[in-house]
Amino acid sequence: KESDVYLAVDGDGRQVVLKFHRLGRTSFRDVAKKRDYFADRTGGNGRHVRSRNGLGNGGRAAGRAKSWLFLSGRSALLEYAFMKALHASGMPTPEPIGYNRHVVAMGLVRGVPLYQIRPSSMGADQRRSVYERSLALGRRLVAHGLVHCDLNEFNLMVDLSGVQGVGGDGDHYVRHC
C-alpha cells in the first residue's frame, strides 16, 4: 500500500527486488500524522520551523520537507539501514543491496507472503512449524531490543519447499520481508 515492488535483473544476471517507496500516494495528511519523519521539522506547536532566511531545517527549502519524494526517500533510507543491520546480525531478511532516493534494492527471497497461503494447503506439521518459527523470529527481535510493530501475515515470507534452509536446525520456512 505504501510501495511498489518489482523484480529486476542486476548487471551479473541475478534477480533482485526493487521496492519503490510511495508514501503519501493515497493520503498525504495521514502520512504526516502517522509517521515520525516530521519530528525534527516542527516546533512545539506543530508548525514548520523556519529561520530568518526563509530556509529551515539545515538550509533545505521548506517545501521539500513535506514532499512525498522526501518522505519516501527517508522511508527507504530507514528500511535499508534496518534491513542491513538485521541481515548482518543473522536475521532472516532479504540481502540488502543498496538504496537510492526512494528505492531499496534487495535480494530475491523464495516463497510467498503468508497471507497468500491457505491453511488447508499445508499439513499440520507445516502449520505448526510456520507458527513456531514466526514466534521465534519475534523473540529474536525482542532479544535484540527490537519490537516489530507490523509483524503479520503480510510481512512474513513462507517457503514450504524448505529450500531456504540455513544453519543446522532444519528447514527455515519463514523469513521476514
Side-chain angles (χ1 to χ4, degrees):
K1 63 185 176 191
E2 293 179 345
S3 61
D4 295 322
V5 179
Y6 296 95
L7 186 61
V9 178
D10 70 6
D12 297 326
R14 280 189 323 162
Q15 289 185 322
V16 297
V17 173
L18 298 178
K19 182 176 180 182
F20 289 77
H21 287 248
R22 305 268 191 219
L23 291 179
R25 182 172 54 183
T26 56
S27 174
F28 193 77
R29 286 185 182 153
D30 286 344
V31 172
K33 291 177 190 172
K34 295 177 183 175
R35 302 290 181 179
D36 65 350
Y37 305 138
F38 290 121
D40 61 341
R41 304 192 182 295
T42 59
N45 60 5
R47 293 187 180 165
H48 188 74
V49 177
R50 290 180 188 243
S51 65
R52 281 188 277 186
N53 64 4
L55 297 175
N57 311 316
R60 281 183 238 128
R64 180 177 175 206
K66 292 187 179 180
S67 76
W68 73 268
L69 188 57
F70 172 81
L71 291 177
S72 297
R74 186 85 178 258
S75 175
L77 169 64
L78 291 173
E79 179 180 12
Y80 176 75
F82 280 116
M83 186 186 313
K84 190 172 179 180
L86 290 170
H87 193 267
S89 68
M91 294 289 184
T93 63
E95 173 193 0
I97 296 172
Y99 82 96
N100 191 336
R101 294 188 179 100
H102 65 292
V103 182
V104 177
M106 63 190 82
L108 179 64
V109 174
R110 265 181 83 93
V112 296
L114 181 57
Y115 79 91
Q116 291 183 0
I117 299 177
R118 292 189 322 260
S120 61
S121 68
M122 299 168 55
D125 57 338
Q126 286 179 318
R127 287 192 303 270
R128 185 172 22 272
S129 177
V130 168
Y131 175 73
E132 289 171 357
R133 290 176 187 276
S134 299
L135 287 178
L137 177 58
R139 285 188 199 107
R140 284 180 65 193
L141 289 168
V142 168
H144 284 81
L146 301 170
V147 175
H148 193 303
C149 298
D150 202 18
L151 189 59
N152 58 40
E153 67 273 20
F154 295 95
N155 291 322
L156 291 171
M157 295 292 287
V158 177
D159 179 15
L160 298 178
S161 72
V163 174
Q164 291 282 353
V166 293
D169 62 339
D171 297 331
H172 279 268
Y173 291 124
V174 180
R175 293 179 74 84
H176 173 261
C177 212

